[in-house]
Amino acid sequence: MTIKVAVFDAYGTLFDVAAAARRASQESGGAALAAHWQQLAATWRDKQLQYTWLRAITGQHEPFWRVTVDALDFALEAHGLSEQATLRDRLLALYRELDAYPEVPEMLSRLRAGGLPTAILSNGSPEMLLDAVTSAGIGDLLDAVLSVEDVGVYKPDARVYSMVGARFDCTPKEVLFVSSNGWDAAGAAGFGFRTIWVNRAGLPMDRLPDRPAHVLTDLESVPELATAP
């Protein structure tokens, strides 16, 4: 079936979630972070995702910014940096303007040039997504930015994936969904999307009932897969 829209997860897929810690470690005053910014970034991300799943399961939804702040506070304490108030503030500010991966603008431009609408479907709150899209300069390459705040639950809940059909008047099989999160790609595949897992880290496939149709190491070949039969 012909693909009618290409939809992307945001954090970790279009935007580099490690960029905030990396940039903070390189700035003046970042010495406390320089030795282990990668570990801090990984803990921050792991807790951020864990908190979305727990909140979805328990029905205790809070916007993604609250989850992001809570996850950072955990990570800072876990790495002995909980007293670094200035560092905390700087990391949160940098998270609002994460770097897009280098291939993102050209990849989105190629999709649009081929007549395919593009969109973000993200756990991120609308304000966070607006900041990230604006900072990356890709707003004019997106037809929609969809946030889970419209349904009040996090991915991989089916109510999130159903937002795409409501916005673009299409069936799940007409959606190409791209995510760097294996669990998200699997969840979207189970919903009926044609999915791509962007496995930049070379991780094993998640042991879940559904699997992505394609596995890539970056986003460069997404336009070709979007038009493949």
Side-chain angles (χ1 to χ4, degrees):
M1 184 172 289
T2 302
I3 294 298
K4 290 188 175 180
V5 59
V7 180
F8 297 84
D9 171 61
Y11 297 103
T13 302
L14 297 180
F15 306 116
D16 181 0
V17 291
R22 181 176 61 248
R23 290 170 61 185
S25 74
Q26 296 168 347
E27 294 177 347
S28 174
L33 189 58
H36 50 263
W37 68 266
Q38 292 170 306
Q39 294 90 337
L40 178 86
T43 303
W44 187 4
R45 178 60 171 169
D46 287 346
K47 277 297 169 182
Q48 184 189 51
L49 292 175
Q50 290 170 21
Y51 290 163
T52 64
W53 300 328
L54 290 169
R55 287 188 173 279
I57 292 168
T58 60
Q60 296 176 313
H61 185 78
E62 289 285 347
F64 197 58
W65 184 243
R66 177 72 262 164
V67 171
T68 300
V69 173
D70 289 344
L72 175 59
D73 286 340
F74 177 95
L76 288 171
E77 183 173 351
H79 292 281
L81 298 168
S82 57
E83 303 302 318
Q84 301 280 339
T86 301
L87 175 61
R88 177 184 186 271
D89 291 345
R90 184 57 181 151
L91 286 167
L92 290 173
L94 288 170
Y95 203 90
R96 301 299 286 250
E97 50 185 46
L98 293 173
D99 298 334
Y101 286 104
E103 73 271 22
V104 168
E106 181 181 354
M107 180 272 301
L108 292 175
S109 295
R110 289 168 59 202
L111 287 168
R112 294 288 298 279
L116 199 65
T118 60
I120 281 175
L121 177 66
S122 173
N123 279 340
S125 55
E127 316 84 54
M128 291 177 68
L129 292 168
L130 176 61
D131 287 349
V133 167
T134 301
S135 177
I138 60 173
D140 60 345
L141 300 175
L142 296 164
D143 293 280
V145 178
L146 306 176
S147 166
V148 301
E149 288 307 304
D150 286 349
V151 292
V153 68
Y154 289 111
K155 292 188 283 183
D157 193 287
R159 287 170 287 181
V160 177
Y161 300 125
S162 68
M163 294 171 62
V164 177
R167 171 62 176 80
F168 290 96
D169 189 25
C170 59
T171 68
K173 292 185 181 299
E174 294 171 321
V175 176
L176 180 69
F177 181 75
V178 186
S179 180
S180 64
N181 301 296
W183 57 268
D184 188 18
F191 184 76
F193 291 165
R194 186 189 298 179
T195 60
I196 297 173
W197 176 29
V198 185
N199 184 13
R200 293 181 186 272
L203 298 173
M205 183 74 67
D206 279 313
R207 271 58 171 179
L208 293 170
D210 299 288
R211 295 193 170 200
H214 307 280
V215 181
L216 303 176
T217 57
D218 59 40
L219 296 162
E220 288 186 7
S221 60
V222 170
E224 285 78 14
L225 291 175
T227 57

